[in-house]
Amino acid sequence: MAWVKAQGEAGGFESLLQAREPAAQLASQQQPEAGHPARVLEAVGEGVMFTSLEHSAHADSLAVLRPRLSKLEKAQALLRAFHYSGRPYDFNFDFATDDELVCTELVYKAYEGDSDRKGIRFPTVEIMGRLAMPANEIVKQFDRNIGTDQQQFDLILFLDGHERENEAQVADLDTFRKSWKRPKWHVLVQDTVLGER
């Protein structure tokens, strides 16, 4: 990739990560849980860290979105994300600083555009006087912009949690688009109050 070489690294993207973010690159090579390699960089209570997909996906629901960006922009976002590895979790949920980060803030900062790159325009809201980006706002934006020139992601997979069966099931695009409208306790009441399924 010409961009990697322009950064002064002839060995490829892995070499660039090693040169710029050696601690993060090393952490990304570990196996944090029994036999499962680190594949996800996320901000969790313990801080910004590499985890396995199995650990990260252990949730009520899971959506996989692919940014509509060039390979170069995705590589630049990944390099920026590696820069935040090891920082503490931001229990103040303050988007104004980046010395500590919350889960969506890591994604926001990694894909933030500037004069050199398009980036992703994420929706933010004010909560208790602070700028924030709840994950549901990303889904809401996706729902509003799908099929327009403002669409920034493609849905790859949506696993929708079903509490009664104690599993997540593959769901369709329409279900994902409507998911931002659910009450936060949806997974607990979906079969009884909402009459789903």
Side-chain angles (χ1 to χ4, degrees):
M1 172 185 288
W3 174 75
V4 173
K5 289 181 182 173
Q7 305 303 307
E9 195 56 54
F13 189 64
E14 286 287 329
S15 296
L16 179 62
L17 289 174
Q18 175 64 39
R20 294 269 183 95
E21 303 296 338
Q25 200 276 338
L26 180 63
S28 75
Q29 303 300 312
Q30 304 303 310
Q31 291 193 357
E33 294 93 29
H36 300 296
R39 294 287 184 250
V40 178
L41 178 61
E42 62 181 335
V44 293
E46 296 85 358
V48 180
M49 59 190 290
F50 288 90
T51 62
S52 69
L53 183 57
E54 290 78 5
H55 177 271
S56 183
H58 190 77
D60 292 329
S61 296
L62 170 78
V64 179
L65 298 172
R66 178 179 293 136
R68 290 184 164 188
L69 295 173
S70 68
K71 286 183 180 182
L72 171 59
E73 289 176 296
K74 291 175 189 177
Q76 290 169 333
L78 186 57
L79 183 59
R80 282 192 302 281
F82 267 56
H83 177 70
Y84 295 113
S85 176
R87 295 198 186 179
Y89 189 80
D90 187 357
F91 289 99
N92 291 317
F93 296 89
D94 185 0
F95 263 52
T97 66
D98 64 5
D99 55 332
E100 300 174 323
L101 291 98
V102 298
C103 55
T104 56
E105 185 180 10
L106 176 61
V107 175
Y108 181 92
K109 302 268 185 196
Y111 281 99
E112 193 171 28
D114 63 20
S115 61
D116 295 330
R117 59 188 168 266
K118 177 177 137 184
I120 299 285
R121 294 171 314 284
F122 285 109
T124 55
V125 295
E126 190 173 302
I127 299 175
M128 296 176 56
R130 294 185 190 250
L131 194 63
M133 185 180 73
N136 264 352
E137 290 298 317
I138 299 170
V139 182
K140 183 178 180 180
Q141 179 189 53
F142 178 91
D143 179 41
R144 184 177 57 241
N145 294 338
I146 192 167
T148 73
D149 61 352
Q150 300 297 309
Q151 184 176 344
Q152 300 179 99
F153 298 98
D154 292 308
L155 177 68
I156 304 304
L157 175 69
F158 180 43
L159 295 176
D160 198 8
H162 293 276
E163 185 70 19
R164 184 170 288 169
E165 290 86 9
N166 195 30
E167 68 180 18
Q169 299 169 355
V170 175
D172 62 12
L173 175 65
D174 190 52
T175 302
F176 175 69
R177 289 182 65 188
K178 293 175 183 175
S179 68
W180 69 269
K181 298 175 184 178
R182 297 173 179 172
K184 62 183 173 183
W185 54 86
H186 162 79
V187 81
L188 298 176
V189 298
Q190 64 189 351
D191 291 329
T192 54
V193 176
L194 300 177
E196 287 192 356
R197 303 174 89 243

